[in-house]
Structures are given as C-alpha cells and as structure tokens.
Amino acid sequence: MIASRKAVASHRRIVIKIGSALLVDRRTGLKSDWLEAICADIAALRTQGVDVLVVSSGAIALGRSVLDLPSGALKLEESQAAAAVGQIALARAWSQSLSRQEIVAGQILLTLGDTEERRRYLNARATINQLLRIGAVPIINENDTVATSEIRYGDNDRLAARVATMTGADLLILLSDIDGLYSAPPHLDAQARFLDIIPVITPEIEAMAGGAASELSRGGMRTKIDAGKIATAAGCAMIIASGKVDHPLRAIEQGSRSSWFSPSANPVTARKTWIAGQLQPAGELHVDEGARRALGTGKSLLPAGVRRVEGHFHRGDTVAILGADGREIARGLASYDADEARRIAGRKSIEIEALLGYAGRAAMVHRDDMVVAGTMQARQDREDSKEDAAHA
Ligand code: GLU
C-alpha cells in the first residue's frame, strides 16, 4: 500500500482514461491542441519505459458535433449513430497526433461481454498485450455502436478499471473535469474537504460520491469510485485528476492537485480479479452470520449457511454473497444452478445427494472460486497464477 504519491513515471504500465469533455467542445468539435499536448506527455512516459494504454471517451460527443445534433438526451439509436460517426474521427485524431510523436496507435473497441466472459476476456487481453509488446499504444473505447443498455458499461471509468486489471496495470489515471474527490459536492457545499490520499475505499468514501454527471460524459464520481474499487482490489493504484490543463500528465507529475487511491495491500491475482470485477452478478446468496465469519477466515460457502437464493443463474455463473445486513461480503462462482441452490439452501452437505439425486460439490461456492472483500491468501494466489499461466 502506498501512503503517499509516487512519481507517475515510476509505474510500469498505466491506463489513462480521458473524459469526453476534455477532448470535445460542444461548439467547435475536437480540441486538437489539447490532444497534441497529452500525446507529448504520453511520449515522455514511454521514453521512460512506461507502457501506456488510453481509454478515450468522446465518440458520441464528437459524432454529435459532426452531425450537429441538438443538445439534450439522445435516443439509443441516435447515440449509436453518433458513436459510429464520432469513433472513426476520434481514432483518426489519436492516430495522427500519436504519429507526430512517432508512436503507432491501435484501436480496440470492447463490449461488456469482452471483459465479463472468461474466454472473450482472455482473447481481448491477448490482443491488447500484443499491441503493447510491439510498442503500439492501444486506444480503447466501448463499442457504443452495438452495445445496448443491458450489455453495456455505459461509462468509461469502469471500463478503464477493467482494462487496467485485465492488463495488470499498476496505475489508472482518470482525467476529467474534476480534480479529485471531495467530502461533499464542492459546488453545493462550501465546507467540502478535498481528499488527496485515499488509503482504502470505505463505505464513508463511497457515500461521498454523489451521482453527478454532465451532459457530455456518463460517469460521475460514483462510477469513478466503482472504478477505484475494481482497480485497487487488483493491486492497481488510481488517480483522479483534472484534465482541464494542457499537459495534464506532466501537471500531475509536477504535483498538481489530485486524489490518489492506494492499491490493496493484498492484491488478488488474475482469476480472482476477474471474479471480483464482474459487474453484473447473475444472482445473490444471502448467508447467515456463521457463514459470514467462515468466509472471513478463508472457508468455502456451504449450503447450510445460505438462507436465501435470489436470481436465475447457472453453475459457473458469478453470484454475489451477502450478509444478514444486505452488504456484499464476497463474490464467487456458483457450484449449482439457482433451482438446485434453492433446494439445498440451509441443508447439510451430506443431504445433497438425497435432495438432488446426485452427489454434487459439498460447497455452494468453493473458496478457490471466491473473492472475499479484503482478505486473500497468498497460497491461493500463487495457485491462481499457475492456473492463469496454463490458461493464457
Ligand atoms: N463511450 C462513450 C463515448 O465514447 C463515453 C462513455 C463515458 O462518457 O464514460 O462517447
């Protein structure tokens, strides 16, 4: 865990998320000077040996400006069309500006399934890693033209956090029009305090994130804190900083105001990172106090401790595990379909065969398939790394 700021360039691999409002002006379109400046910052990092990945928003905003669409909310098909027009212009702008720094850009468009389904995840990760290996800078965005509401991230903050965990980045920088986290919305509360170091994302920190988002960008502080949870759990630090200056990365390096989120002291490794970062668990297992304590000491979740089963899921799907107070305490892969889970909930493992007609696994969620908030065991992590090496 870092207790303070560290030089940006001392990181090995950095994901930089750029909000739409930084790149696109509602009236004049693309802010090319700003883009040129950040490309120079990226080049400076790369000459110091840092791998850089960019998650760039702005497709919809740019498409809107090219198509001269009126302000206000867009219908889904309108924003998809705007994204189709805008993304092509956005990618060209990145490619041209980076080439002036003698850097090759590669475009990657992702949808939720590319990070949530294990096979597609491994595939997307392999492509991104290959781009980095050949020295290109991946320019990543959500594939807004095909993503509909049920299957979309909708905000690039969480997408960027997933990219960071997927690629083993050690720093995620969220650049937007806000310089960091405040104890309350600064435009509403004159007493709002700025937080420069956030060692852990506690429920209090989460409560500080309101829902605010501007017309141009979808994410507010809420999605930035969600991104922080995903990234820090995987051992990746996160910075929220203003991108409203020219050379925003250089500005952070020179000590400009920003909020730093420390990485977790016990980062989970790839497979568990993937489980922990799943955005849409397919169901919920509500457990009793005894089970909650058992999970905290690294045990599997047995049917006996499950009080209620919610949702429709299949064996192997990710489920959230909730304590009596309704708070999520762990997340893992279910060993049973939802219907079977309902039948064996509250029963002893030795009864499973009689109840289901076959001898299934003793655990409803096995410890190897589970990530418990805040506790990880080094031994399991090592086993996971081995398994990931075998799968990759
Ligand atoms: N993917 C969207 C775009 O490029 C932006 C999403 C966001 O604002 O976070 O327009």
Side-chain angles (χ1 to χ4, degrees):
M1 189 160 80
I2 51 166
S4 60
R5 300 167 63 125
K6 229 170 112 179
V8 171
S10 69
H11 293 83
R12 197 176 30 80
R13 183 169 282 184
I14 305 180
V15 175
I16 303 164
K17 183 262 170 174
I18 294 167
S20 300
L22 300 177
L23 270 171
V24 184
D25 180 277
R26 282 270 302 280
R27 281 169 300 108
T28 54
L30 187 77
K31 299 184 186 173
S32 337
D33 291 346
W34 188 89
L35 182 59
E36 292 293 327
I38 194 151
C39 287
D41 285 3
I42 291 172
L45 283 173
R46 290 191 13 123
T47 54
Q48 294 173 80
V50 182
D51 283 344
V52 178
L53 299 95
V54 174
V55 172
S56 175
S57 300
I60 297 174
L62 197 53
R64 252 187 124 116
S65 134
V66 173
L67 296 169
D68 214 7
L69 298 177
S71 55
L74 296 179
K75 292 203 210 77
L76 176 65
E77 60 276 18
E78 287 172 333
S79 58
Q80 289 179 317
V85 171
Q87 181 62 37
I88 207 167
L90 186 64
R92 192 181 58 196
W94 273 108
S95 168
Q96 286 178 343
S97 297
L98 282 171
S99 74
R100 280 191 268 282
Q101 304 291 338
E102 293 176 10
I103 297 173
V104 175
Q107 176 183 252
I108 302 266
L109 298 177
L110 295 171
T111 45
L112 193 63
D114 296 316
T115 60
E116 307 303 283
E117 280 170 38
R118 182 91 178 141
R119 192 178 47 80
R120 286 167 65 187
Y121 164 93
L122 292 173
N123 193 23
R125 184 173 74 168
T127 311
I128 296 174
N129 281 338
Q130 181 61 17
L131 278 175
L132 292 170
R133 213 169 290 133
I134 60 175
V137 168
I139 304 294
I140 302 164
N141 197 359
E142 180 158 19
N143 194 351
D144 293 306
T145 55
V146 295
T148 57
S149 52
E150 320 74 75
I151 57 146
R152 74 180 312 156
Y153 278 97
D155 67 88
N156 275 358
D157 295 324
R158 291 177 308 156
L159 173 65
R162 291 298 265 145
V163 167
T165 62
M166 204 165 165
T167 54
D170 49 357
L171 179 63
L172 166 64
I173 304 180
L174 301 181
L175 293 178
S176 71
D177 46 12
I178 179 131
D179 51 3
L181 179 66
Y182 290 81
S183 57
H187 56 289
L188 300 176
D189 184 347
Q191 306 298 313
R193 206 163 32 86
F194 185 83
L195 283 87
D196 50 359
I197 306 278
I198 296 96
V200 224
I201 301 178
T202 58
E204 291 70 39
I205 296 288
E206 287 194 59
M208 289 173 190
S214 71
E215 188 187 307
L216 281 178
S217 72
R218 296 223 187 77
M221 195 47 77
R222 174 76 269 152
T223 55
K224 292 186 174 39
I225 297 299
D226 287 346
K229 284 163 66 181
I230 296 170
T232 57
C236 175
M238 184 176 92
I239 300 174
I240 300 178
S242 169
K244 287 204 297 194
V245 291
D246 276 348
H247 298 287
L249 302 174
R250 190 200 290 169
I252 298 173
E253 203 69 302
Q254 290 171 349
S256 70
R257 178 137 121 157
S258 48
S259 292
W260 290 58
F261 294 74
S262 310
S264 151
N266 293 312
V268 294
T269 46
R271 181 153 181 275
K272 290 196 176 180
T273 297
W274 179 75
I275 296 172
Q278 293 271 295
L279 298 177
Q280 297 176 320
E284 291 177 354
L285 304 177
H286 293 257
V287 306
D288 62 19
E289 184 51 27
R292 193 187 64 75
R293 274 201 305 273
L295 299 192
T297 63
K299 302 250 166 54
S300 295
L301 175 64
L302 301 178
V306 178
R307 286 156 68 165
R308 200 169 83 238
V309 176
E310 301 278 356
H312 300 283
F313 52 87
H314 295 290
R315 194 155 77 90
D317 284 349
T318 305
V319 289
I321 301 171
L322 286 77
D325 58 358
R327 251 213 183 45
E328 183 169 331
I329 49 180
R331 200 168 266 214
L333 307 181
S335 309
Y336 290 96
D337 292 350
D339 290 346
E340 294 173 329
R342 283 191 185 94
R343 282 185 359 238
I344 60 173
R347 310 294 286 262
K348 294 214 165 61
S349 298
I350 48 164
E351 296 179 88
I352 293 175
E353 186 162 6
L355 288 164
L356 300 182
Y358 70 95
R361 290 181 84 166
M364 186 93 90
V365 178
H366 192 271
R367 50 181 282 176
D368 292 349
D369 297 332
M370 181 169 23
V371 184
V372 179
T375 57
M376 279 328 316
Q377 288 150 6
R379 190 178 55 80
Q380 283 186 2
D381 287 351
R382 277 200 304 278
E383 282 165 15
D384 277 345
S385 307
K386 270 188 249 148
E387 190 201 323
D388 273 311
H391 275 84

